[in-house]
Amino acid sequence: MRKVFMTALVLVLAVACCAHADEVKIGACIYRFNDAFMLRFRNAMSAESEKLGAVITIADGQDNQTTQDEQVDAFIADGVNVLIVNTVDRMASQSIIDKAKAANIPVVFINREPTPEMLATYDKAYYVGAKAEESGTETGELVASYFKAHPEADKNKDGKLQFILLKGQNGHQDMILRSKYSVEAVKNAGIEPVELASAIANWDKLEAMKIMNGFIMSIGPENIEAVIANNDEMALGAIEALKAQDYNTGNPEAYIPVVGVDANASALEAMDKGEMLGTVLNDADNQGISAVRLAAALAEGKDTGTIGYEITDGKYIWIPYQKVTRGEKQ
Ligand code: GAL
Ligand code: CA
């Protein structure tokens, strides 16, 4: 741990010494580099920083809040002008806000939402993200409209939708709200949802594949009418498990609609091949660009009204989701 910390510190100092005095220095913390969606997010932030002439240093929290806390300390010690933080545990946001406030630097949280009460404790604390309930509703709608258009999808002919739910990380707003609103949307479409099984797979493809394997064995693929996953990686893991049973390989007799969220390239590919029903675009580009523009404006004390993104309730930038099926946006 200590060695990792020192390495991070040396890295931060190395970047800092090359920055000109008038350049904005952004310290960014990502909960884990090994995450397909956060990779898109990082790329967008780096590109926008370069455009603005800001210097961004991005640290990998390696899914460990203690590691991330040390990275925050190192950034502050190094004198960054602003922090962008994707917490490992969003409940740790308060202590990060306290540190930023003590150092009098703004902090922009991304992707993992602090509570409104936490954000209210510091006038320079913001959140950039997307409304989780929107993506939940949209995945549920994708499944519901498929189910209605394809009578054969109701395999046991009971008029209800027997589904499996693959959930992201415990406590994450996207896990809680996507799960809730996807099922709600099925109901609102007039279809009774019946949950066959659900499990946490931590946004991870391999974990989801193993879990889905177990579900296939215990439930039988012929009894599963849909798989709703909180993100694309887990949807793709489920599809791997299905393909191993000769499902979702092109035979219409052996197909289970699977939906995810993010619209990562690998999911769009799976959709093009007919393996995956649909996804929802989680707009990493606009989230990354707006986070960097907001951070830079705050660091320079500029008017945040000029960044090209609307700020709601003085605290939030909300980037909309968009349904995607077979490579087309709906
Ligand atoms: C979600 C995204 C997931 C994962 C997670 C990390 O918004 O859909 O794929 O990246 O954020 O917090
Ligand atoms: Ca049914």
Side-chain angles (χ1 to χ4, degrees):
M1 188 73 71
R2 174 127 205 107
K3 191 157 175 230
V4 172
F5 176 59
M6 289 307 290
T7 317
L9 195 64
V10 167
L11 245 175
V12 168
L13 294 175
V15 170
C17 75
C18 310
H20 299 296
D22 55 343
E23 277 171 341
V24 171
K25 279 197 292 177
I26 304 172
C29 295
I30 298 298
Y31 90 99
R32 178 173 86 184
F33 275 10
N34 183 20
D35 177 302
F37 171 71
M38 292 314 302
L39 173 61
R40 285 167 50 202
F41 210 125
R42 278 192 280 146
N43 288 340
M45 291 200 301
S46 300
E48 186 62 16
S49 297
E50 201 176 318
K51 254 195 196 164
L52 297 183
V55 178
I56 191 167
T57 309
I58 309 183
D60 179 2
Q62 295 170 358
D63 216 6
N64 182 324
Q65 190 58 55
T66 309
T67 302
Q68 183 172 78
D69 289 340
E70 290 172 353
Q71 291 166 341
V72 167
D73 293 340
F75 278 138
I76 292 174
D78 176 51
V80 296
N81 307 115
V82 59
L83 290 166
I84 295 180
V85 184
N86 168 222
T87 51
V88 175
D89 171 0
R90 69 195 180 102
M91 288 309 138
S93 305
Q94 187 65 62
S95 92
I96 295 169
I97 290 173
D98 294 343
K99 286 175 182 176
K101 195 174 176 180
N104 193 29
I105 55 172
V107 55
V108 177
F109 290 94
I110 54 168
N111 176 263
R112 290 168 172 219
E113 194 181 337
T115 63
E117 292 76 20
M118 291 176 184
L119 288 179
T121 63
Y122 185 29
D123 59 341
K124 292 177 192 156
Y126 291 78
Y127 178 68
V128 172
K131 291 206 168 144
E133 56 269 39
E134 240 177 64
S135 51
T137 301
E138 290 176 356
T139 47
E141 285 172 356
L142 286 170
V143 172
S145 45
Y146 178 84
F147 195 71
K148 283 183 175 172
H150 296 264
E152 75 280 8
D154 184 12
K155 293 176 175 161
N156 63 354
K157 304 283 167 228
D158 68 349
K160 303 174 187 173
L161 176 80
Q162 276 75 18
F163 71 97
I164 281 175
L165 182 62
L166 294 173
K167 302 184 192 177
Q169 211 156 9
N170 245 328
H172 196 305
Q173 81 279 344
D174 289 344
M175 181 285 265
I176 300 165
L177 297 171
R178 285 177 190 168
S179 298
K180 177 170 178 228
Y181 282 88
S182 54
V183 178
E184 203 78 2
V186 171
K187 246 186 252 171
N188 290 341
I191 303 161
E192 188 180 323
V194 180
E195 186 183 289
L196 296 172
S198 78
I200 296 267
N202 292 304
W203 311 117
D204 190 73
K205 182 174 174 181
L206 194 64
E207 227 175 290
M209 189 190 84
K210 289 181 187 157
I211 288 168
M212 186 66 193
N213 255 329
F215 288 160
I216 291 172
M217 295 310 156
S218 58
I219 296 165
E222 69 283 1
N223 299 314
I224 303 169
E225 297 178 346
V227 178
I228 300 174
N230 284 169
N231 79 341
D232 284 348
E233 285 297 299
M234 296 189 296
L236 291 169
I239 289 168
E240 282 309 307
L242 289 171
K243 280 163 68 179
Q245 304 300 321
D246 289 325
Y247 268 73
N248 293 36
T249 56
N251 172 7
E253 302 286 302
Y255 174 76
I256 296 173
V258 180
V259 292
V261 176
D262 284 338
N264 287 339
S266 46
L268 298 179
E269 228 171 85
M271 281 161 48
D272 287 341
K273 286 195 255 170
E275 297 170 356
M276 180 165 165
L277 175 66
T279 185
V280 172
L281 171 69
N282 192 2
D283 190 343
D285 285 345
N286 276 306
Q287 289 177 59
I289 293 168
S290 60
V292 165
R293 286 195 195 165
L294 176 61
L298 292 168
E300 293 181 304
K302 283 192 187 152
D303 177 10
T304 53
T306 61
I307 62 172
Y309 292 87
E310 191 192 337
I311 298 179
T312 311
D313 299 329
K315 291 275 177 202
Y316 298 93
I317 294 179
W318 294 115
I319 303 297
Y321 283 105
Q322 236 177 329
K323 274 183 217 168
V324 186
T325 52
R326 292 253 173 182
E328 296 161 34
K329 288 173 190 169
Q330 284 201 330

